[in-house]
Amino acid sequence: MLGKNKSSASDTDARVKVGTILGDGTVFEGDLRAPEAVRIDGTVNGNCTCEKELIIGKNGHVKGNISAQHVIISGRVEGDIAAQGKLELLSTGKLVGNISARSLVIDEDASFDGRCTMSQGEGPVKKIGMTQTETAGENDPARK
């Protein structure tokens, strides 16, 4: 359609150099850590930490927490996500878990069940699962 600029996981692949790919049908058990962009089209049963982008394809499934610079979901995630930049939940994406991110985009027909905390500016992203008193207590000189 003219004038429509819909993002998709395949559009993102053209812009991002993906260093690690977990193919469709692959099952990874354990925590995944990568210094580069990662694309998941299989299943990860464990936490994912990525210094750059984490892309979860349409058939991708993550059962665990995610920490990355940017996260794009068109598959399924069951766990909390901490994105230092933008989190995109595309129309085929499903997320059950809490979000902490600077920027959030949720497409029509996407599914999100959880809480979202948005941060502003250059400070650190708020830790997931902390209450307001715990967050306020982090800056208390008496606690250091």
Side-chain angles (χ1 to χ4, degrees), residues 3-144:
K4 295 274 182 176
N5 187 11
K6 282 277 216 184
S7 64
S8 71
S10 59
D11 292 343
T12 303
D13 289 345
R15 296 181 306 216
V16 177
K17 182 180 178 204
V18 176
T20 303
I21 298 174
L22 244 63
D24 195 8
T26 302
V27 177
F28 182 88
E29 298 282 343
D31 293 344
L32 176 66
R33 298 178 80 77
E36 54 201 8
V38 175
R39 179 177 173 104
I40 298 171
D41 288 314
T43 300
V44 174
N45 293 317
N47 300 325
C48 297
T49 303
C50 183
E51 290 182 25
K52 296 191 178 170
E53 289 199 349
L54 179 65
I55 302 165
I56 300 169
K58 192 173 182 179
N59 295 325
H61 185 187
V62 175
K63 282 185 166 182
N65 298 330
I66 293 173
S67 177
Q69 185 66 35
H70 302 289
V71 180
I72 300 168
I73 302 169
S74 53
R76 182 172 182 170
V77 174
E78 297 173 54
D80 295 342
I81 299 176
Q84 288 74 37
K86 181 171 26 174
L87 184 143
E88 292 181 65
L89 188 57
L90 303 180
S91 62
T92 57
K94 296 182 183 352
L95 170 59
V96 177
N98 299 320
I99 296 171
S100 176
R102 294 205 194 298
S103 174
L104 175 65
V105 176
I106 300 178
D107 284 354
E108 186 174 330
D109 294 329
S111 174
F112 169 50
D113 183 8
R115 300 180 83 190
C116 179
T117 302
M118 304 281 297
S119 62
Q120 295 178 0
E122 296 299 317
V125 174
K126 180 181 173 188
K127 294 177 186 173
I128 294 176
M130 294 181 76
T131 65
Q132 289 290 60
T133 16
E134 290 172 319
T135 304
E138 282 187 331
N139 298 324
D140 183 3
R143 297 188 94 204
K144 293 186 179 180

